[in-house]
Amino acid sequence: MEPKDTNKKIGKLYGLGVGPGDPELMTLKAARLIRECHAIVIPASGKETNVAFEIAKGAVPEIEAKELLEISMPMIRDEIKLKQSHDKAAAFVISELEKGKDIAFLTLGDPSIYSTYIYIHNRVAAQGYETEIVPGIPSFCAVAARLNEGLTEASEALHVIPASYEGIEEALALKGTRVLMKSGKSIGKVKAILEQMENPPTVKMVERCGMQGERVFTRLEDLDEEASYFSILIVKDNGKIT
Amino acid sequence: MEPKDTNKKIGKLYGLGVGPGDPELMTLKAARLIRECHAIVIPASGKETNVAFEIAKGAVPEIEAKELLEISMPMIRDEIKLKQSHDKAAAFVISELEKGKDIAFLTLGDPSIYSTYIYIHNRVAAQGYETEIVPGIPSFCAVAARLNEGLTEASEALHVIPASYEGIEEALALKGTRVLMKSGKSIGKVKAILEQMENPPTVKMVERCGMQGERVFTRLEDLDEEASYFSILIVKDNGKIT
């Protein structure tokens, strides 16, 4: 048997949040790492893909000269197939790290909040490879900025709820500010729940915040049920003056 | 009466999130605006003050040449006095905007999440002045990155709770990931609540994430009850494998 080459350079995986849409909302660190990494990974499926790449390109045009690795990460409901898909994607990333490449895996918003990256991250880290999460601005912070208002004050709670959440009715009734992520298809359902509340809350929605086709809705009754996947609802108790 | 000078340049107020601690986690936009604004506002009280300025300086050394306006924003419990203090701070900011200055009001983390800036913002905006919130990386995203793990996956909820929250016991029992902000003094109380839970959750804490004196705690029993105000707890249900 040949001795293992212990001097072999192994790459590092960066899960890189590019923020919510506006390239200027990328961090200095994300911009630097895109310049420094050898290869860029984007999921080949899904709408988030090219969005993340386009955001990064807006801030760091040099990204176009980098090696671009597209990996298949279909949005599957079947749990076993989904895990297999994540295993396969992680194995691919590892094979590239083994070639000595530092890799920036682009993810919309922040990698720690509802990103598909985290499934790859966990697998790659568990196998002993060097990994790092690089925070990005979460979409709901950009939505608050777009609405020009705060999300939470003083001793209020902030509840971030994916639209696919099982106990959505209960979650919408929590005290404090409620943020509904990736609302898309469930806007109709959520609207109906909110309309029936005893003390109707203040509801606003931003679709495609900071991206082309952005739309802002400031009244519950105006919410477009046909709005895209990139829609975020902010639900607040009414009428506090600070 | 003299006619009002309608050509007079009025400044714009930027509520500028400098992120959680690492200067490189500032956004490109925040860095640009610090360079472009005429004056920088920081609250003169409180520990957050100089922290925000130091972060900004780490990314944009030119900030030292800017006019620095310190405003008094004491942490008062009395609601009336607190409002008076906010009114006074807002009036001061307006007087500076009236001089034609564009102002960057520095705030730690993201301005829309538990910042004292938002009280000034609301007042200045309500009086018809131009205002803009510039998102920053929230501290809990940096904490997740520091722990090298995600906050939420797929259909989980994320609950962000200030340590001063009234229904803290109830909030700690919510399903999904619970983030406790600015824990400091309440760590002992929170620890006691968590220890008594039927299914003890996984609890981690990062103190002064990305700053000097950073400490990471990965077991509930290790949490230092004397840790600083800048401590964030992450509470997760146990043992999910993804």
Side-chain angles (χ1 to χ4, degrees):
Chain A
M1 246 178 88
E2 277 185 290
K4 211 176 166 183
D5 176 7
T6 49
N7 289 321
K8 187 181 152 196
K9 148 99 169 115
I10 306 286
K12 178 173 176 179
L13 172 63
Y14 295 91
L16 211 145
V18 299
D22 177 355
E24 249 203 319
L25 291 183
M26 271 181 49
T27 64
L28 302 169
K29 185 168 183 175
R32 172 177 63 80
L33 285 171
I34 287 173
R35 289 192 183 95
E36 289 178 5
C37 279
H38 304 100
I40 308 294
V41 169
I42 55 171
S45 80
K47 306 147 200 164
E48 299 204 15
T49 313
N50 304 316
V51 176
F53 186 78
E54 290 303 313
I55 293 169
K57 195 171 77 178
V60 188
E62 305 95 292
I63 197 172
E64 294 219 73
K66 297 275 172 181
E67 181 182 12
L68 189 67
L69 306 168
E70 289 189 88
I71 58 173
S72 166
M73 289 192 72
M75 295 199 180
I76 311 171
R77 285 201 175 256
D78 182 290
E79 273 201 30
I80 292 169
K81 281 190 189 159
L82 190 61
K83 282 192 183 188
Q84 285 170 345
S85 149
H86 292 156
D87 288 343
K88 203 176 146 192
F92 173 73
V93 167
I94 286 173
S95 72
E96 295 294 319
L97 295 173
E98 284 284 349
K99 293 177 192 165
K101 295 178 192 170
D102 289 329
I103 291 176
F105 191 120
L106 304 189
T107 173
L108 201 59
D110 178 72
S112 74
I113 300 175
Y114 307 118
S115 80
T116 45
Y117 164 73
I118 212 72
Y119 302 102
I120 311 304
H121 175 90
N122 290 346
R123 284 163 170 74
V124 173
Q127 292 193 47
Y129 292 88
E130 215 185 336
T131 55
E132 184 178 337
I133 292 171
V134 181
I137 302 281
S139 49
F140 52 82
C141 293
V143 164
R146 179 63 188 81
L147 296 170
N148 206 26
E149 60 184 56
L151 284 171
T152 49
E153 291 173 18
S155 50
E156 295 172 343
L158 171 67
H159 308 283
V160 183
I161 307 151
S164 60
Y165 191 64
E166 270 192 32
I168 194 112
E169 191 156 356
E170 205 180 317
L172 284 171
L174 287 168
K175 265 188 234 165
T177 301
R178 290 132 281 171
V179 172
L180 248 85
M181 303 281 287
K182 300 182 179 174
S183 308
K185 286 177 196 162
S186 52
I187 294 169
K189 183 182 166 189
V190 168
K191 204 170 157 180
I193 296 172
L194 292 169
E195 278 169 347
Q196 282 163 24
M197 285 188 173
E198 265 189 46
N199 298 307
T202 301
V203 182
K204 298 184 182 176
M205 182 172 96
V206 181
E207 179 185 5
R208 301 185 56 81
C209 187
M211 305 179 200
Q212 259 199 329
E214 179 187 87
R215 289 194 297 166
V216 176
F217 302 86
T218 55
R219 299 191 320 168
L220 179 56
E221 54 268 43
D222 295 340
L223 302 191
D224 181 358
E225 299 183 17
E226 304 297 317
S228 88
Y229 172 73
F230 293 117
S231 293
I232 289 180
L233 265 90
I234 310 286
V235 179
K236 283 182 179 178
D237 295 325
N238 243 326
K240 245 176 42 106
I241 295 162
T242 49
Chain B
M1 247 178 87
E2 277 183 289
K4 212 176 166 186
D5 177 6
T6 48
N7 289 321
K8 188 180 150 195
K9 146 100 171 114
I10 307 286
K12 179 173 176 179
L13 173 62
Y14 295 92
L16 210 144
V18 299
D22 176 355
E24 251 204 317
L25 290 183
M26 271 180 50
T27 63
L28 302 170
K29 185 169 184 176
R32 173 176 64 80
L33 285 170
I34 287 173
R35 290 193 182 95
E36 289 178 4
C37 277
H38 304 101
I40 309 293
V41 170
I42 56 171
S45 81
K47 304 147 200 164
E48 297 204 15
T49 312
N50 305 314
V51 177
F53 187 77
E54 290 303 313
I55 293 168
K57 196 171 76 177
V60 188
E62 305 94 292
I63 196 174
E64 293 219 71
K66 296 276 172 182
E67 181 182 14
L68 189 67
L69 306 169
E70 290 190 87
I71 58 172
S72 167
M73 291 192 72
M75 294 197 182
I76 311 170
R77 285 202 175 256
D78 183 288
E79 272 201 31
I80 292 169
K81 282 189 188 160
L82 189 61
K83 282 193 183 186
Q84 285 170 345
S85 148
H86 291 156
D87 287 342
K88 204 176 145 192
F92 172 73
V93 167
I94 286 173
S95 72
E96 295 294 319
L97 295 173
E98 283 284 348
K99 293 177 192 164
K101 295 177 193 170
D102 289 330
I103 291 176
F105 191 120
L106 304 189
T107 173
L108 200 58
D110 177 72
S112 75
I113 301 175
Y114 307 119
S115 81
T116 45
Y117 164 73
I118 212 71
Y119 302 103
I120 312 306
H121 175 89
N122 290 345
R123 284 164 170 75
V124 174
Q127 292 192 47
Y129 292 88
E130 214 185 337
T131 56
E132 183 176 339
I133 293 172
V134 181
I137 302 282
S139 50
F140 52 82
C141 294
V143 164
R146 179 65 188 79
L147 296 170
N148 206 27
E149 60 184 56
L151 284 170
T152 49
E153 294 172 16
S155 51
E156 294 171 344
L158 171 68
H159 308 283
V160 183
I161 307 151
S164 61
Y165 191 65
E166 270 193 32
I168 193 113
E169 191 156 356
E170 205 180 319
L172 284 171
L174 287 168
K175 264 188 235 166
T177 301
R178 290 132 280 172
V179 172
L180 249 86
M181 303 281 286
K182 301 182 180 173
S183 308
K185 286 177 194 161
S186 51
I187 295 170
K189 184 182 165 189
V190 168
K191 205 170 155 179
I193 296 172
L194 292 170
E195 278 169 346
Q196 282 162 24
M197 283 187 174
E198 264 188 47
N199 298 308
T202 301
V203 182
K204 298 184 182 177
M205 182 172 96
V206 180
E207 179 185 6
R208 300 184 58 79
C209 187
M211 303 180 201
Q212 258 199 329
E214 178 187 87
R215 290 195 295 167
V216 176
F217 303 86
T218 55
R219 300 191 318 168
L220 179 57
E221 53 269 42
D222 295 340
L223 301 191
D224 181 358
E225 298 183 17
E226 303 298 317
S228 89
Y229 171 75
F230 293 117
S231 294
I232 290 180
L233 265 89
I234 309 286
V235 180
K236 282 182 182 180
D237 295 324
N238 245 324
K240 246 178 36 109
I241 295 162
T242 48

